[in-house]
Amino acid sequence: MKGRAGRLARLMPSGPNTAARTPFVLLVVLLLAGGLISLLLLNSALNEGSFRLSKLKRDTTELTDEQQALQRDVDSYSEPDALERRARELGMVPGGSPAFLDPDGTVRGVPERATAQPSPLTPPEPDESADGPTGPASPSASGPTSPSPSASPATASTTPPTTPPPTSSGR
């Protein structure tokens, strides 16, 4: 066997060694193919998890922004000026001095009916009949009927100090 056939016979001998090598070669090929397929599946799962994570981060950012906007709305609605304005729109008026019921049924304090008074925070409505040739009436004529805190310093010093308003929790 000379020539090409002889070289092929030497490179690929047919005999007992070839039969023993075939299952080993198939096992190696199957292991490599299985490893490549499992690596491909693992890479796909990681990419899917990455896309899901970025979507969840984006959703979290949007929800955080929405929560902060809602918190700002709640804070603006709970300001004293806004509460008073909304109460006046609903027809509510500041209450008088309160009366309390003791456990034995006695009344402590003198109950008073709440009366509508102009708010010290909003300017009173101008009276058209009070306008004369010199302009609107003086502020003392159309001012609130209750004395202002700065008008009577003697009563301010005799009243007991009030407790500070409760502080809100840190946000």
Side-chain angles (χ1 to χ4, degrees), residues 73-153:
D73 289 346
V74 167
D75 290 343
S76 69
Y77 289 136
S78 63
E79 291 175 350
D81 292 344
L83 287 175
E84 188 217 4
R85 187 178 333 106
R86 182 67 181 139
R88 291 222 183 257
E89 288 172 2
L90 293 173
M92 301 172 84
V93 295
S97 62
F100 300 98
L101 289 176
D102 288 331
D104 61 355
T106 59
V107 178
R108 190 169 33 141
V110 179
E112 292 180 10
R113 177 175 215 114
T115 58
Q117 297 175 355
S119 170
L121 298 176
T122 58
E125 297 291 325
D127 187 15
E128 293 177 10
S129 64
D131 289 343
T134 60
S138 67
S140 62
S142 63
T145 57
S146 63
S148 65
S150 61
S152 57

Side-chain angles (χ1 to χ4, degrees), residues 35-89:
L36 287 174
I37 290 173
S38 64
L39 190 62
L40 179 66
L41 292 175
L42 180 64
N43 195 14
S44 299
L46 287 175
N47 283 339
E48 181 182 342
S50 175
F51 287 132
R52 188 169 164 224
L53 180 64
S54 64
K55 182 187 179 303
L56 289 174
K57 283 183 179 180
R58 188 176 60 246
D59 291 346
T60 300
T61 302
E62 290 172 2
L63 290 174
T64 300
D65 292 344
E66 182 181 350
Q67 187 263 343
Q68 289 174 351
L70 290 173
Q71 187 63 47
R72 278 193 305 269
D73 289 346
V74 167
D75 290 343
S76 69
Y77 289 136
S78 63
E79 291 175 350
D81 292 344
L83 287 175
E84 188 217 4
R85 187 178 333 106
R86 182 67 181 139
R88 291 222 183 257
E89 288 172 2

